Amino acid sequence: MEDLRTASLRSSMAGCALWLILAGMPFAASAPAPLAAAPPPAPVATRAGNTIHLDGILDDLSWKDAPRLTGFVQQVPQPGAPISELTEVRIVYDDENLYLGVICGDREPDRILARTLARDDFSLLADDLFAVAIDSGLTGRDGFWFATNPLGAQFDAQIFNEGRIFDTAWDGVWEVRSRIGAEGWTAEMRIPLFNLRFPDAPVVTLGFNFHRLIRRRNEEAYLPPIPRDYGDEKALSRALPVSLEGVRGGASLQILPHGLAKHRRAAGPGGDQDDLGRTGLDVKWGITPGLTADFTFNTDFAETEVDQQQINLTRFALFFPEKREFFLENAGLFDFGLPAEVQIFFSRRIGLEDGQTVPIRAGGRMSGRLGRTTIGVLDALTDDTPEAPATNFAVLRARQDLGTRASAGLILTDRHSDAGDNRVAGADLFVPFREEYRLQGFIAESSTTGPGGDGGAGWFRVAREGDIWQYSADYTEVDSDFVAGTGFVQRGNQRRRRGSFAWRPRPRGSAVRQWTLLYSPTYLTDDDNRLMTRLHFAEISAEFHTGDTLGMFRLEDFERLLTPFDIFPHVTIPPGDYDNSEAQVTATTSSNRPWAGSVFANLGDFFGGRRRILGGSLTARTGRHLTMGTEFTHNRVRLPAGDFSTRLAALRVRYAFTTRLFGGI
């Protein structure tokens, strides 16, 4: 059997050749179209002359000497208009920290919305909010996002490719204090510079995008101004440059040992007893400000959050997102393909086999940026178990910046075990035009020994993603023999053609902020050009200025089944052609209400029978400490093969004692 190191070396050599081809491609990218309004003055950061005490009040001497950055411009509801309330930012730094002083004026301070204390709680987005996106390498693509509300709650994330990948699993080390007063609210942020991972230089230039949300009006404003067609605060190519002198990004070393003890005794008199133990170690090493290495030995995932329960009434596998800490750092760098459809690398394939946990013996990863190139390398070895033999997983992912906002990349994956080998090589491309046009796609080829085969997969899409007009066309192809041993493929043997056209007008003088009228057809055939799926999807919805939404859709669906599948115990859908039609009505209240929720009702044909779905959710945020939420879905299915019903309910309770101490179920 071929030695794994030889296989990895060969894959690396092939990857280098492919990378040279991609890097040498001729390319010209158009720069973002400038706004009609004149940009605000370039920001200036000042070095702190005195100690800054974080208390949410900008009364330290260092704040008094810092320039005040103003000029926030609305994106909604009145694009291009000045923000309705006084908003200013001051930037101060010392050798080790970046400080932001924020003043969010409000002429109605008693109406400020602030009900969230817990960290990384998405309920923060239902409060008044201030956020900053920092492009630490001035790449125009990648960076970090820090947000807070009038109570000083924290939310952070990593940004890749201008927010096409927005990784909320990332946790930075930073502090914030906020205060609500008679003229609005203020905040002081302290962000240690080692979070930002910039290269060492006498003068370091960072890019900043500032964002304020006044939730009761659903008003969003930015500095610098960002058009609606462009997106939001993740549009790092429009970031304002800020220079810092005499600072260091720093490198860090974290060592986390862990242990697990277990006592087991068989029932009954004289039962056997076992004392079991397991120890392990996780290491994080900042090799350079731009590169981070992670190592794990005898990995323990005891603290990992459990998956949310799902009910599957389709013949395709469900997708569950990654939640294990070791795989979350810089996870966006490894993304390749169509999320939840055709992913060449999916980290949940490591350490999980047919729903069973497989111990990870050891693993290592290096990820980060080298100039205009981002790179991710991962290698992990799992134990030999009854579910699967010992397996080595190796991944190389690289992406090269092209022009102002475009990029090209490659991926190489290798899965090696006594049961067989699987390797996949792929290349992808992303090219934006102007503000709202996109051209993107990927191709991949697999090579398999043992169970499986050799095949290809690809996807290409051209789209306009503007605020008012949106349309796209894409093509997906997955061979029946394509195998992604380290990835996730929901449906093989497909040739899918899909289009979409949407008109999203914003009427003046109306209670509706934006209408959406959407039509999307899909045609899917197999290798023999037989029609397998045909979808016609039409939707109309209204978003009100209050934040409430109301919508409905209709779906005409043709499905051809070549083999039977078990949809429920003792209920089997036989092969055949099925024409289905369904409609759904949905109503959702604004998340800024103390009691917020949604309800929906769906009724239609279902594989020769009928199906009715009723569901809803309710979240209560009557105070800043306690948040409770519940969800409920009921399926009632009537089929020629049998009738059945399913019910799925969930309850979530979260109590925040302070911004640093909280818990829940």
Side-chain angles (χ1 to χ4, degrees), residues 142-462:
D142 305 334
F144 304 89
W145 189 76
F146 304 89
T148 190
N149 69 350
L151 299 178
Q154 295 173 266
F155 203 118
D156 48 23
Q158 260 187 301
I159 302 169
F160 300 96
N161 279 2
E162 288 206 278
R164 287 193 295 132
I165 302 170
F166 192 66
D167 184 7
T168 59
W170 178 79
D171 282 325
V173 179
W174 59 292
E175 298 177 90
V176 62
R177 298 290 185 276
S178 299
R179 290 286 186 94
I180 300 176
E183 297 180 352
W185 63 281
T186 57
E188 292 179 302
M189 292 181 174
R190 176 164 56 210
I191 304 172
L193 291 169
F194 68 77
N195 286 282
L196 305 181
R197 304 176 187 174
F198 50 79
D200 288 331
V203 178
V204 174
T205 302
L206 313 177
F208 286 76
N209 282 346
F210 301 107
H211 171 213
R212 183 181 177 187
L213 169 63
I214 304 175
R215 175 50 75 184
R216 68 180 182 276
R217 302 182 191 135
N218 291 316
E219 177 182 334
E220 300 188 54
Y222 296 90
L223 178 69
I226 299 177
R228 283 196 306 233
D229 284 339
Y230 217 97
D232 51 21
E233 72 282 340
K234 300 178 286 294
L236 291 176
S237 58
R238 304 190 73 93
L240 295 175
V242 177
S243 296
L244 313 180
E245 297 183 0
V247 297
R248 292 174 50 190
S252 60
L253 178 66
Q254 300 178 20
I255 301 176
L256 180 64
H258 51 78
L260 183 66
K262 181 188 298 184
H263 176 75
R264 182 172 58 191
R265 179 177 179 177
D272 295 336
Q273 298 188 50
D274 289 315
D275 291 306
L276 307 175
R278 179 184 176 92
T279 61
L281 183 69
D282 292 336
V283 178
K284 183 183 295 293
W285 175 31
I287 304 173
T288 70
L291 283 179
T292 301
D294 297 90
F295 303 96
T296 183
F297 305 94
N298 289 335
T299 315
D300 176 31
F301 296 124
E303 296 182 355
T304 301
E305 180 185 356
V306 298
D307 291 320
Q308 183 173 344
Q309 184 71 37
Q310 300 183 50
I311 293 178
N312 188 7
L313 296 182
T314 75
R315 60 194 189 278
F316 306 113
L318 292 175
F319 180 86
F320 291 91
E322 179 62 83
K323 297 184 178 182
R324 297 171 295 176
E325 186 66 29
F326 174 75
F327 296 105
L328 292 177
E329 176 76 16
N330 278 342
L333 292 180
F334 292 89
D335 280 7
F336 186 103
L338 283 172
E341 294 185 29
V342 185
Q343 289 187 213
I344 305 306
F345 173 64
F346 181 45
S347 59
R348 284 182 66 107
R349 297 296 296 270
I350 304 174
L352 293 170
E353 193 71 31
D354 296 329
Q356 300 297 316
T357 300
V358 178
I360 296 178
R361 188 182 306 168
R365 181 181 56 183
M366 182 180 69
S367 56
R369 174 174 283 273
L370 294 171
R372 293 175 62 81
T373 303
T374 53
I375 187 169
V377 180
L378 182 145
D379 193 272
L381 178 65
T382 60
D383 275 339
D384 190 6
T385 66
E387 288 77 21
T391 306
N392 185 269
F393 298 84
V395 182
L396 168 65
R397 174 70 163 120
R399 190 188 78 219
Q400 178 71 27
D401 297 344
L402 301 175
T404 305
R405 300 173 62 204
S407 62
L410 66 85
I411 193 169
L412 299 170
T413 68
D414 186 295
R415 176 172 178 158
H416 172 81
S417 72
D418 290 341
D421 298 338
N422 173 263
R423 300 181 185 92
V424 179
D428 60 349
L429 180 69
F430 172 70
V431 182
F433 299 94
R434 300 180 182 176
E435 294 176 356
E436 67 271 28
Y437 292 95
R438 310 284 187 270
L439 172 65
Q440 58 193 119
F442 75 86
I443 55 173
E445 290 286 336
S446 70
S447 174
T448 306
T449 61
D454 302 339
W459 170 74
F460 297 94
R461 179 176 185 262
V462 59

Side-chain angles (χ1 to χ4, degrees), residues 128-142:
D128 281 43
L129 175 141
F130 180 87
V132 56
I134 303 177
D135 180 358
S136 54
L138 212 63
T139 64
R141 295 168 169 81
D142 305 334

Side-chain angles (χ1 to χ4, degrees), residues 580-655:
N580 303 316
S581 176
E582 64 180 281
Q584 178 169 306
V585 177
T586 304
T588 303
T589 67
S590 174
S591 60
N592 62 25
R593 301 182 188 277
W595 294 82
S598 65
V599 294
F600 71 90
N602 182 299
L603 181 64
D605 306 322
F606 191 68
F607 291 108
R610 299 284 288 174
R611 178 175 67 170
R612 183 186 69 193
I613 311 174
L614 299 175
S617 65
L618 180 65
T619 300
R621 297 169 62 239
T622 56
R624 63 183 62 179
H625 297 284
L626 180 64
T627 300
M628 295 185 295
T630 183
E631 296 179 8
F632 178 78
T633 303
H634 176 224
N635 280 272
R636 183 180 179 184
V637 182
R638 301 290 181 262
L639 297 174
D643 301 340
F644 64 91
S645 297
T646 68
R647 296 177 180 86
L648 180 62
L651 174 66
R652 297 180 304 276
V653 179
R654 192 168 193 176
Y655 192 89

